[in-house]
Amino acid sequence: LPPARELMDRLKVLQKDAESAKSERQAMEHEYERASWQLQEAQSELATLSSTTRYLKTQLRDSQDVMAQAIKAERRKSREQLDRMKEAMLHVLQKERETLRIKFMEQNAEVQALLKNDGNHAGAAGAGTVGGGGGGSSSSSINNDNNSWKEDQRMASTSVTTPSTTNTNF
């Protein structure tokens, strides 16, 4: 057997080692608890960020849908407004054409009346000539001009048409 003193010294060393191991174990447990708490905090923050990200993505998708609907509605309104403006312009154009046609017809009637009156005066004054002399070529010239003018009038009255509706889809 070893002497008692040696055993006592050895016991003290073992007690110091046990206390040191106990302190080290407590420090490790404390470090483990701190690391575990930090991990739980990071996981909680990650869950919060994931939830927030999902929410924001949903909000973004909803906002994009609303914006797309608003753009679609505005385009529809613009097309409708353009169609109304086009119809109004066509209506004005048709009225102007009708007014011009009526004026043209009135002027034609006036010219016909003047030519008729002029023909009556020419026949009485100088054997069928305008201005009372110079031969029959003036009278035939007026008749040719009158026929040409009538042809122009006929062409103009047939060319006054309503414009066709064109496609305005943009």
Side-chain angles (χ1 to χ4, degrees):
L1 276 160
R5 185 139 185 90
E6 228 178 87
L7 287 174
M8 286 299 263
D9 284 342
R10 189 156 165 90
L11 182 62
K12 283 183 182 180
V13 168
L14 287 174
Q15 283 177 341
K16 280 184 182 180
D17 284 346
E19 284 181 27
S20 174
K22 186 178 178 182
S23 293
E24 195 174 306
R25 187 175 133 235
Q26 286 178 344
M28 289 179 131
E29 284 176 353
H30 179 69
E31 184 63 27
Y32 172 78
E33 288 175 7
R34 190 175 67 80
S36 178
W37 180 79
Q38 286 178 341
L39 177 62
Q40 287 177 352
E41 193 174 279
Q43 288 174 335
S44 173
E45 189 173 329
L46 177 63
T48 301
L49 289 174
S50 294
S51 174
T52 302
T53 301
R54 279 192 304 274
Y55 173 75
L56 290 174
K57 283 181 179 179
T58 302
Q59 289 295 99
L60 178 61
R61 194 171 30 254
D62 291 347
S63 295
Q64 288 172 338
D65 290 346
V66 167
M67 184 174 66
Q69 290 298 324
I71 289 171
K72 187 177 179 181
E74 287 301 316
R75 283 183 180 161
R76 182 184 46 79
K77 287 179 187 176
S78 295
R79 267 191 238 101
E80 289 172 357
Q81 186 176 12
L82 283 172
D83 287 345
R84 283 192 303 272
M85 288 175 61
K86 178 184 172 189
E87 290 299 319
M89 290 174 75
L90 287 174
H91 182 70
V92 167
L93 181 61
Q94 287 173 346
K95 278 188 169 185
E96 286 179 0
R97 283 182 177 171
E98 182 63 23
T99 302
L100 287 174
R101 189 182 68 74
I102 290 170
K103 283 184 181 179
F104 184 73
M105 297 302 281
E106 288 172 354
Q107 289 175 353
N108 182 32
E110 288 176 18
V111 167
Q112 290 295 325
L114 287 174
L115 288 175
K116 190 174 186 180
N117 286 339
D118 196 28
N120 289 342
H121 291 294
T129 63
V130 176
S137 66
S138 273
S139 174
S140 68
S141 171
I142 289 175
N143 284 337
N144 286 339
D145 287 345
N146 189 23
N147 288 338
S148 170
W149 187 82
K150 284 181 181 178
E151 180 65 21
D152 289 346
Q153 176 187 2
R154 186 186 64 72
M155 294 296 285
S157 68
T158 58
S159 69
V160 176
T161 59
T162 344
S164 63
T165 306
T166 56
N167 187 2
T168 57
N169 292 338
F170 296 100

